[in-house]
Short mmCIF file of all heavy atoms in Angstrom, two decimals:
data_model
loop_
_atom_site.label_atom_id
_atom_site.label_comp_id
_atom_site.label_asym_id
_atom_site.label_seq_id
_atom_site.Cartn_x
_atom_site.Cartn_y
_atom_site.Cartn_z
N GLN A 95 127.56 58.54 107.70
CA GLN A 95 127.33 59.18 109.00
C GLN A 95 128.15 58.51 110.09
O GLN A 95 128.73 59.19 110.95
CB GLN A 95 125.85 59.13 109.34
CG GLN A 95 125.48 59.88 110.63
CD GLN A 95 124.00 59.74 110.96
OE1 GLN A 95 123.45 58.64 110.92
NE2 GLN A 95 123.36 60.86 111.28
N SER A 96 128.25 57.20 110.07
CA SER A 96 128.99 56.47 111.09
C SER A 96 130.50 56.56 110.91
O SER A 96 131.26 56.25 111.83
CB SER A 96 128.57 55.00 111.09
OG SER A 96 129.03 54.34 109.91
N GLY A 97 130.94 56.95 109.72
CA GLY A 97 132.36 57.02 109.44
C GLY A 97 132.93 55.73 108.88
O GLY A 97 134.13 55.64 108.60
N GLU A 98 132.08 54.73 108.69
CA GLU A 98 132.53 53.47 108.08
C GLU A 98 133.05 53.71 106.67
O GLU A 98 133.99 53.06 106.22
CB GLU A 98 131.38 52.47 108.06
CG GLU A 98 131.73 51.12 107.47
CD GLU A 98 130.55 50.17 107.44
OE1 GLU A 98 129.55 50.41 108.17
OE2 GLU A 98 130.61 49.19 106.68
N VAL A 99 132.42 54.66 105.98
CA VAL A 99 132.85 55.09 104.65
C VAL A 99 133.01 56.61 104.70
O VAL A 99 132.26 57.30 105.40
CB VAL A 99 131.81 54.70 103.57
CG1 VAL A 99 132.19 55.26 102.22
CG2 VAL A 99 131.68 53.18 103.49
N ASP A 100 134.00 57.12 103.98
CA ASP A 100 134.30 58.55 104.07
C ASP A 100 133.26 59.43 103.41
O ASP A 100 132.95 60.53 103.89
CB ASP A 100 135.67 58.81 103.42
CG ASP A 100 136.75 57.89 103.97
OD1 ASP A 100 137.18 58.13 105.10
OD2 ASP A 100 137.12 56.93 103.26
N CYS A 101 132.72 58.96 102.26
CA CYS A 101 131.76 59.78 101.53
C CYS A 101 130.87 58.88 100.68
O CYS A 101 131.13 57.68 100.54
CB CYS A 101 132.48 60.80 100.65
SG CYS A 101 133.53 60.08 99.35
N GLY A 102 129.81 59.46 100.14
CA GLY A 102 128.90 58.68 99.32
C GLY A 102 128.18 59.57 98.32
O GLY A 102 128.04 60.78 98.53
N HIS A 103 127.74 58.98 97.22
CA HIS A 103 126.93 59.69 96.22
C HIS A 103 125.55 59.06 96.23
O HIS A 103 125.39 57.87 95.99
CB HIS A 103 127.56 59.56 94.83
CG HIS A 103 126.98 60.51 93.83
ND1 HIS A 103 125.83 60.23 93.12
CD2 HIS A 103 127.38 61.75 93.42
CE1 HIS A 103 125.55 61.25 92.31
NE2 HIS A 103 126.48 62.19 92.47
N THR A 104 124.54 59.88 96.52
CA THR A 104 123.19 59.35 96.73
C THR A 104 122.19 60.49 96.57
O THR A 104 122.52 61.53 96.02
CB THR A 104 123.10 58.70 98.13
OG1 THR A 104 121.83 58.06 98.29
CG2 THR A 104 123.32 59.71 99.24
N THR A 105 120.98 60.28 97.04
CA THR A 105 119.98 61.35 97.07
C THR A 105 119.28 61.34 98.42
O THR A 105 118.99 60.28 98.97
CB THR A 105 118.93 61.18 95.96
OG1 THR A 105 117.86 62.12 96.17
CG2 THR A 105 118.35 59.78 95.93
N SER A 106 119.03 62.52 98.95
CA SER A 106 118.39 62.61 100.27
C SER A 106 116.95 62.12 100.22
O SER A 106 116.34 61.88 101.27
CB SER A 106 118.42 64.05 100.78
OG SER A 106 117.73 64.92 99.92
N GLY A 107 116.39 61.95 99.02
CA GLY A 107 115.03 61.42 98.91
C GLY A 107 114.88 60.04 99.51
O GLY A 107 113.77 59.62 99.85
N TYR A 108 116.00 59.31 99.66
CA TYR A 108 115.96 57.99 100.28
C TYR A 108 115.94 58.06 101.81
O TYR A 108 115.71 57.04 102.47
CB TYR A 108 117.19 57.18 99.87
CG TYR A 108 117.23 56.75 98.41
CD1 TYR A 108 118.44 56.43 97.81
CD2 TYR A 108 116.08 56.69 97.63
CE1 TYR A 108 118.50 56.03 96.48
CE2 TYR A 108 116.13 56.30 96.31
CZ TYR A 108 117.34 55.97 95.73
OH TYR A 108 117.41 55.58 94.42
N TYR A 109 116.22 59.24 102.37
CA TYR A 109 116.48 59.30 103.82
C TYR A 109 115.63 60.36 104.53
O TYR A 109 116.08 60.97 105.50
CB TYR A 109 117.97 59.59 104.04
CG TYR A 109 118.88 58.75 103.18
CD1 TYR A 109 119.62 59.32 102.15
CD2 TYR A 109 118.97 57.37 103.37
CE1 TYR A 109 120.44 58.55 101.34
CE2 TYR A 109 119.80 56.59 102.57
CZ TYR A 109 120.52 57.19 101.55
OH TYR A 109 121.32 56.42 100.75
N LEU A 110 114.43 60.57 104.06
CA LEU A 110 113.59 61.60 104.65
C LEU A 110 113.17 61.27 106.07
O LEU A 110 112.72 62.14 106.81
CB LEU A 110 112.36 61.86 103.77
CG LEU A 110 112.65 62.32 102.34
CD1 LEU A 110 111.37 62.67 101.63
CD2 LEU A 110 113.63 63.49 102.32
N ASP A 111 113.30 59.98 106.46
CA ASP A 111 112.99 59.62 107.84
C ASP A 111 114.01 60.23 108.80
O ASP A 111 113.73 60.39 110.00
CB ASP A 111 112.95 58.10 108.00
CG ASP A 111 114.23 57.42 107.56
OD1 ASP A 111 114.93 57.97 106.69
OD2 ASP A 111 114.54 56.34 108.09
N GLN A 112 115.19 60.59 108.30
CA GLN A 112 116.20 61.23 109.14
C GLN A 112 115.83 62.68 109.44
O GLN A 112 116.03 63.15 110.55
CB GLN A 112 117.57 61.19 108.45
CG GLN A 112 118.09 59.80 108.13
CD GLN A 112 118.49 59.04 109.38
OE1 GLN A 112 118.86 59.63 110.40
NE2 GLN A 112 118.40 57.71 109.30
N ALA A 113 115.30 63.36 108.45
CA ALA A 113 114.86 64.75 108.60
C ALA A 113 113.99 65.09 107.39
O ALA A 113 114.51 65.21 106.28
CB ALA A 113 116.05 65.70 108.69
N PRO A 114 112.68 65.24 107.57
CA PRO A 114 111.79 65.49 106.43
C PRO A 114 112.18 66.70 105.59
O PRO A 114 111.97 66.70 104.37
CB PRO A 114 110.43 65.70 107.10
CG PRO A 114 110.52 64.95 108.39
CD PRO A 114 111.95 65.10 108.84
N ALA A 115 112.78 67.71 106.21
CA ALA A 115 113.12 68.94 105.47
C ALA A 115 114.22 68.72 104.45
O ALA A 115 114.44 69.58 103.58
CB ALA A 115 113.52 70.04 106.44
N LEU A 116 114.91 67.58 104.49
CA LEU A 116 115.93 67.29 103.49
C LEU A 116 115.34 67.19 102.09
O LEU A 116 116.05 67.29 101.09
CB LEU A 116 116.66 65.99 103.83
CG LEU A 116 117.59 66.02 105.04
CD1 LEU A 116 118.16 64.63 105.30
CD2 LEU A 116 118.72 67.03 104.85
N VAL A 117 114.03 67.01 102.00
CA VAL A 117 113.39 66.91 100.69
C VAL A 117 113.60 68.17 99.87
O VAL A 117 113.63 68.12 98.63
CB VAL A 117 111.88 66.61 100.85
CG1 VAL A 117 111.13 67.82 101.38
CG2 VAL A 117 111.28 66.13 99.54
N PHE A 118 113.79 69.31 100.52
CA PHE A 118 113.98 70.56 99.77
C PHE A 118 115.34 70.61 99.09
O PHE A 118 115.58 71.46 98.24
CB PHE A 118 113.82 71.76 100.71
CG PHE A 118 112.42 71.92 101.24
CD1 PHE A 118 112.09 71.47 102.52
CD2 PHE A 118 111.43 72.47 100.46
CE1 PHE A 118 110.80 71.60 103.00
CE2 PHE A 118 110.13 72.61 100.94
CZ PHE A 118 109.81 72.16 102.21
N GLY A 119 116.24 69.69 99.45
CA GLY A 119 117.53 69.63 98.80
C GLY A 119 117.54 68.74 97.57
O GLY A 119 118.53 68.69 96.84
N THR A 120 116.45 68.03 97.32
CA THR A 120 116.42 67.13 96.16
C THR A 120 115.25 67.45 95.24
O THR A 120 115.41 68.09 94.23
CB THR A 120 116.43 65.65 96.60
OG1 THR A 120 116.39 64.83 95.44
CG2 THR A 120 115.32 65.29 97.57
N SER A 121 114.03 67.01 95.57
CA SER A 121 112.90 67.30 94.68
C SER A 121 111.59 67.11 95.41
O SER A 121 111.43 66.17 96.18
CB SER A 121 112.94 66.38 93.46
OG SER A 121 112.02 66.80 92.48
N LEU A 122 110.67 68.01 95.13
CA LEU A 122 109.32 67.93 95.69
C LEU A 122 108.31 67.77 94.56
O LEU A 122 108.50 68.31 93.46
CB LEU A 122 108.99 69.21 96.45
CG LEU A 122 109.46 69.27 97.91
CD1 LEU A 122 109.40 70.71 98.40
CD2 LEU A 122 108.59 68.39 98.78
N PRO A 123 107.23 67.04 94.79
CA PRO A 123 106.18 66.94 93.78
C PRO A 123 105.71 68.34 93.37
O PRO A 123 105.49 69.21 94.22
CB PRO A 123 105.08 66.16 94.49
CG PRO A 123 105.79 65.36 95.53
CD PRO A 123 106.92 66.24 95.99
N PHE A 124 105.58 68.55 92.07
CA PHE A 124 105.15 69.83 91.51
C PHE A 124 106.05 70.98 91.98
O PHE A 124 105.62 72.11 92.12
CB PHE A 124 103.69 70.11 91.88
CG PHE A 124 102.74 69.05 91.40
CD1 PHE A 124 102.27 68.06 92.27
CD2 PHE A 124 102.34 69.00 90.07
CE1 PHE A 124 101.42 67.06 91.82
CE2 PHE A 124 101.49 68.01 89.62
CZ PHE A 124 101.02 67.04 90.49
N GLY A 125 107.32 70.65 92.19
CA GLY A 125 108.27 71.65 92.65
C GLY A 125 109.05 72.29 91.52
O GLY A 125 108.50 72.59 90.46
#
Side-chain angles (χ1 to χ4, degrees):
Q95 185 183 47
S96 69
E98 181 181 342
V99 175
D100 308 285
C101 63
H103 193 276
T104 186
T105 170
S106 61
Y108 291 158
Y109 315 111
L110 300 186
D111 56 333
Q112 301 290 333
L116 290 176
V117 71
F118 294 100
T120 179
S121 190
L122 275 164
F124 302 100

